[in-house]
Amino acid sequence: MSFTGFPAAAPDFYDDLEMDNTKTFWTEHKHIYESAVRAPMTDLMAELEDEFGPAKLFRPYRDVRFAKDKTPYKTHQGAFIDVAPSTGWYVQVSAPGVRVAAGFYEASSERLARIRTAIDDDRRGAQLEKILAKLTRAGFVLRGEKLKTSPRGYDADHPRIELLRHKSLSVGKDYGFEQIIHTPALVGEIRKDWRAAKPLITWITDNT
Protein backbone atom coordinates (compact mmCIF):
# COMPACT_ATOMS: atom_id res chain seq x y z
CA MET A 1 0.00 0.00 0.00
CA SER A 2 1.12 3.59 -0.52
CA PHE A 3 2.14 5.71 2.46
CA THR A 4 -0.62 7.99 3.74
CA GLY A 5 1.17 9.42 6.79
CA PHE A 6 1.71 8.44 10.40
CA PRO A 7 -1.55 8.78 12.33
CA ALA A 8 -1.57 10.71 15.60
CA ALA A 9 -1.95 7.32 17.28
CA ALA A 10 1.73 6.56 16.49
CA PRO A 11 3.43 9.15 18.74
CA ASP A 12 0.58 8.75 21.23
CA PHE A 13 1.33 5.02 21.43
CA TYR A 14 4.96 5.71 22.34
CA ASP A 15 3.97 8.42 24.78
CA ASP A 16 1.87 5.84 26.62
CA LEU A 17 4.56 3.15 26.31
CA GLU A 18 7.10 5.42 27.99
CA MET A 19 4.72 5.61 30.96
CA ASP A 20 3.93 1.88 31.05
CA ASN A 21 6.68 -0.18 29.42
CA THR A 22 5.27 -3.58 30.38
CA LYS A 23 4.21 -6.76 28.62
CA THR A 24 0.66 -6.17 29.81
CA PHE A 25 0.46 -2.77 28.12
CA TRP A 26 2.14 -4.10 24.97
CA THR A 27 -0.22 -7.05 24.66
CA GLU A 28 -3.29 -4.85 25.11
CA HIS A 29 -2.09 -2.23 22.61
CA LYS A 30 -0.10 -4.27 20.09
CA HIS A 31 -2.83 -3.77 17.49
CA ILE A 32 -2.17 -0.01 17.65
CA TYR A 33 1.56 -0.60 17.14
CA GLU A 34 0.84 -2.80 14.13
CA SER A 35 -1.64 -0.45 12.46
CA ALA A 36 -0.35 3.01 13.45
CA VAL A 37 3.41 2.40 13.59
CA ARG A 38 4.73 -0.67 11.81
CA ALA A 39 2.37 -0.67 8.81
CA PRO A 40 2.91 3.03 7.94
CA MET A 41 6.68 2.67 8.42
CA THR A 42 6.68 -0.33 6.08
CA ASP A 43 4.74 1.67 3.47
CA LEU A 44 7.05 4.68 3.89
CA MET A 45 10.16 2.59 3.29
CA ALA A 46 8.57 0.93 0.28
CA GLU A 47 8.01 4.38 -1.27
CA LEU A 48 11.70 5.29 -0.83
CA GLU A 49 13.14 1.95 -1.89
CA ASP A 50 13.36 2.85 -5.58
CA GLU A 51 16.04 5.46 -4.88
CA PHE A 52 17.69 4.41 -1.62
CA GLY A 53 17.29 0.65 -1.49
CA PRO A 54 15.44 -1.81 0.78
CA ALA A 55 15.12 -0.98 4.45
CA LYS A 56 15.41 -2.97 7.64
CA LEU A 57 12.72 -2.27 10.22
CA PHE A 58 14.13 -2.77 13.69
CA ARG A 59 12.43 -5.13 16.12
CA PRO A 60 10.36 -3.45 18.85
CA TYR A 61 11.95 -5.57 21.57
CA ARG A 62 15.00 -4.43 23.54
CA ASP A 63 17.97 -6.71 24.17
CA VAL A 64 18.09 -6.54 27.96
CA ARG A 65 20.58 -9.37 28.60
CA PHE A 66 23.41 -7.04 29.63
CA ALA A 67 21.43 -3.86 30.29
CA LYS A 68 20.68 -2.28 33.65
CA ASP A 69 17.41 -1.01 32.18
CA LYS A 70 15.19 -4.09 31.89
CA THR A 71 12.19 -2.44 30.25
CA PRO A 72 11.30 -4.83 27.43
CA TYR A 73 10.23 -2.52 24.57
CA LYS A 74 11.92 0.18 22.52
CA THR A 75 10.24 3.58 22.78
CA HIS A 76 10.66 4.27 19.06
CA GLN A 77 10.35 2.47 15.74
CA GLY A 78 13.38 2.87 13.52
CA ALA A 79 14.14 1.85 9.96
CA PHE A 80 17.59 1.76 8.37
CA ILE A 81 18.84 1.52 4.80
CA ASP A 82 22.48 0.47 4.72
CA VAL A 83 24.88 1.32 1.90
CA ALA A 84 28.03 0.22 3.76
CA PRO A 85 28.73 -1.32 7.19
CA SER A 86 26.72 0.66 9.78
CA THR A 87 26.37 3.47 7.22
CA GLY A 88 23.27 4.74 5.51
CA TRP A 89 19.86 6.37 5.93
CA TYR A 90 17.66 6.31 9.03
CA VAL A 91 14.14 7.34 10.03
CA GLN A 92 12.22 6.86 13.26
CA VAL A 93 8.88 7.64 14.83
CA SER A 94 8.55 8.04 18.60
CA ALA A 95 6.76 10.11 21.22
CA PRO A 96 8.48 13.35 20.04
CA GLY A 97 7.37 12.68 16.43
CA VAL A 98 9.47 11.83 13.38
CA ARG A 99 13.16 12.40 12.68
CA VAL A 100 15.58 11.40 9.94
CA ALA A 101 19.34 10.96 9.82
CA ALA A 102 22.21 9.89 7.58
CA GLY A 103 25.76 8.85 8.42
CA PHE A 104 27.56 6.04 10.23
CA TYR A 105 26.57 4.88 13.69
CA GLU A 106 29.55 2.72 14.59
CA ALA A 107 32.87 1.58 13.15
CA SER A 108 35.51 -1.02 13.79
CA SER A 109 38.85 0.29 15.04
CA GLU A 110 40.35 -0.24 11.58
CA ARG A 111 37.53 1.57 9.81
CA LEU A 112 37.54 4.41 12.31
CA ALA A 113 41.30 4.77 11.78
CA ARG A 114 40.71 5.16 8.03
CA ILE A 115 38.03 7.79 8.66
CA ARG A 116 40.36 9.73 10.94
CA THR A 117 43.17 9.52 8.41
CA ALA A 118 40.82 11.08 5.86
CA ILE A 119 39.75 13.81 8.30
CA ASP A 120 43.39 14.54 9.05
CA ASP A 121 44.18 14.89 5.34
CA ASP A 122 43.97 18.56 4.32
CA ARG A 123 42.05 17.93 1.10
CA ARG A 124 39.64 15.25 2.28
CA GLY A 125 39.19 16.80 5.72
CA ALA A 126 38.35 20.17 4.20
CA GLN A 127 35.89 18.44 1.87
CA LEU A 128 34.07 16.92 4.87
CA GLU A 129 33.99 20.28 6.63
CA LYS A 130 32.44 21.86 3.55
CA ILE A 131 29.79 19.11 3.30
CA LEU A 132 28.85 19.43 6.97
CA ALA A 133 28.76 23.23 6.84
CA LYS A 134 26.33 23.11 3.92
CA LEU A 135 24.12 20.60 5.72
CA THR A 136 24.02 22.57 8.97
CA ARG A 137 23.05 25.69 7.01
CA ALA A 138 20.20 23.65 5.56
CA GLY A 139 18.91 22.85 9.06
CA PHE A 140 20.61 19.54 9.80
CA VAL A 141 22.14 18.90 13.22
CA LEU A 142 25.51 17.14 13.53
CA ARG A 143 25.36 14.24 15.96
CA GLY A 144 27.51 11.31 17.04
CA GLU A 145 29.35 9.72 19.92
CA LYS A 146 32.62 11.49 20.64
CA LEU A 147 35.74 10.89 22.68
CA LYS A 148 36.14 13.25 25.62
CA THR A 149 39.81 13.68 24.76
CA SER A 150 41.86 13.73 21.57
CA PRO A 151 42.27 10.37 19.82
CA ARG A 152 45.71 8.85 20.11
CA GLY A 153 48.17 10.32 17.63
CA TYR A 154 46.36 13.64 17.13
CA ASP A 155 47.15 16.93 18.81
CA ALA A 156 44.47 18.79 20.76
CA ASP A 157 45.08 21.86 18.58
CA HIS A 158 44.42 20.02 15.31
CA PRO A 159 42.18 22.25 13.12
CA ARG A 160 39.63 19.43 12.82
CA ILE A 161 40.00 17.95 16.30
CA GLU A 162 36.24 18.02 16.96
CA LEU A 163 35.63 15.83 13.90
CA LEU A 164 38.54 13.56 14.81
CA ARG A 165 36.95 12.92 18.21
CA HIS A 166 33.87 11.34 16.61
CA LYS A 167 33.37 7.59 17.04
CA SER A 168 30.15 7.87 15.04
CA LEU A 169 28.91 10.70 12.88
CA SER A 170 25.55 11.58 11.41
CA VAL A 171 23.38 14.52 10.49
CA GLY A 172 19.72 14.64 11.36
CA LYS A 173 16.52 16.61 11.16
CA ASP A 174 13.58 16.52 13.55
CA TYR A 175 10.15 16.95 11.98
CA GLY A 176 8.51 16.61 15.36
CA PHE A 177 4.73 16.89 15.17
CA GLU A 178 4.64 19.01 12.02
CA GLN A 179 1.50 18.35 10.03
CA ILE A 180 3.52 16.84 7.20
CA ILE A 181 4.25 13.66 9.21
CA HIS A 182 0.55 12.81 9.02
CA THR A 183 0.42 13.14 5.22
CA PRO A 184 1.82 11.42 2.10
CA ALA A 185 4.00 14.52 1.57
CA LEU A 186 6.40 13.14 4.21
CA VAL A 187 7.82 10.84 1.53
CA GLY A 188 8.95 13.78 -0.57
CA GLU A 189 10.38 15.62 2.43
CA ILE A 190 12.48 12.65 3.51
CA ARG A 191 13.58 12.04 -0.08
CA LYS A 192 14.72 15.67 -0.33
CA ASP A 193 16.62 15.56 2.96
CA TRP A 194 18.29 12.23 2.24
CA ARG A 195 19.34 13.52 -1.17
CA ALA A 196 20.86 16.58 0.52
CA ALA A 197 22.83 14.29 2.85
CA LYS A 198 24.05 12.05 0.02
CA PRO A 199 27.46 13.83 -0.23
CA LEU A 200 28.12 12.87 3.40
CA ILE A 201 27.29 9.20 2.72
CA THR A 202 29.51 9.31 -0.37
CA TRP A 203 32.38 10.85 1.61
CA ILE A 204 32.12 8.14 4.27
CA THR A 205 32.00 5.26 1.79
CA ASP A 206 34.81 6.72 -0.33
CA ASN A 207 37.08 7.03 2.70
CA THR A 208 36.45 3.72 4.44
Side-chain angles (χ1 to χ4, degrees), residues 2 29 35 45 58 82 90 109-110 120 122 139 143 151 156 160 166 170 182 184 198:
S2 59
H29 298 85
S35 63
M45 292 298 97
F58 292 107
D82 63 322
Y90 180 75
S109 57
E110 295 82 4
D120 180 45
D122 286 340
R143 299 185 174 103
R160 289 178 292 281
H166 275 267
S170 65
H182 305 303
K198 194 169 287 187

Side-chain angles (χ1 to χ4, degrees), residues 50 75 103 140 188 200:
D50 62 333
T75 54
F140 288 87
L200 174 60

Side-chain angles (χ1 to χ4, degrees), residues 56-110:
K56 171 189 176 182
L57 267 66
F58 292 107
R59 287 162 48 86
Y61 313 105
R62 296 182 64 247
D63 183 354
V64 299
R65 290 173 297 173
F66 308 107
K68 291 182 179 179
D69 178 4
K70 298 299 183 182
T71 51
Y73 305 103
K74 296 176 183 176
T75 54
H76 62 273
Q77 174 64 61
F80 186 70
I81 300 173
D82 63 322
V83 297
S86 306
T87 302
W89 321 98
Y90 180 75
V91 61
Q92 78 169 37
V93 61
S94 61
V98 175
R99 73 177 180 91
V100 295
F104 75 94
Y105 63 87
E106 66 180 17
S108 65
S109 57
E110 295 82 4

Side-chain angles (χ1 to χ4, degrees), residues 10 16 28 49 60 98 122 127 146 148 152 175 184 191:
D16 292 338
E28 291 177 354
E49 183 174 348
V98 175
D122 286 340
Q127 183 185 33
K146 298 169 70 175
K148 293 181 179 179
R152 185 175 300 174
Y175 303 146
R191 191 183 296 274

Side-chain angles (χ1 to χ4, degrees), residues 12-45:
D12 287 350
F13 169 80
Y14 283 113
D15 195 37
D16 292 338
L17 182 62
E18 288 183 359
M19 299 294 293
D20 186 8
N21 196 320
T22 63
K23 186 175 181 181
T24 299
F25 174 87
W26 182 266
T27 301
E28 291 177 354
H29 298 85
K30 187 177 180 181
H31 65 285
I32 299 176
Y33 165 78
E34 294 290 351
S35 63
V37 177
R38 190 169 185 86
M41 183 67 84
T42 300
D43 293 341
L44 175 62
M45 292 298 97

Side-chain angles (χ1 to χ4, degrees), residues 68-191:
K68 291 182 179 179
D69 178 4
K70 298 299 183 182
T71 51
Y73 305 103
K74 296 176 183 176
T75 54
H76 62 273
Q77 174 64 61
F80 186 70
I81 300 173
D82 63 322
V83 297
S86 306
T87 302
W89 321 98
Y90 180 75
V91 61
Q92 78 169 37
V93 61
S94 61
V98 175
R99 73 177 180 91
V100 295
F104 75 94
Y105 63 87
E106 66 180 17
S108 65
S109 57
E110 295 82 4
R111 189 166 182 249
L112 190 56
R114 291 194 293 272
I115 292 172
R116 286 179 174 150
T117 296
I119 294 171
D120 180 45
D121 179 77
D122 286 340
R123 180 185 62 82
R124 292 180 291 166
Q127 183 185 33
L128 177 59
E129 286 182 308
K130 184 177 180 180
I131 290 168
L132 293 174
K134 184 175 181 180
L135 288 169
T136 53
R137 287 196 300 270
F140 288 87
V141 176
L142 177 62
R143 299 185 174 103
E145 184 182 359
K146 298 169 70 175
L147 295 171
K148 293 181 179 179
T149 59
S150 303
R152 185 175 300 174
Y154 297 99
D155 294 333
D157 60 354
H158 190 288
R160 289 178 292 281
I161 191 60
E162 290 303 313
L163 289 176
L164 287 166
R165 288 171 56 206
H166 275 267
K167 297 173 66 177
S168 62
L169 189 150
S170 65
V171 294
K173 268 190 179 181
D174 292 314
Y175 303 146
F177 300 114
E178 292 180 25
Q179 182 59 31
I180 195 171
I181 75 167
H182 305 303
T183 73
L186 182 62
V187 175
E189 191 68 15
I190 293 175
R191 191 183 296 274

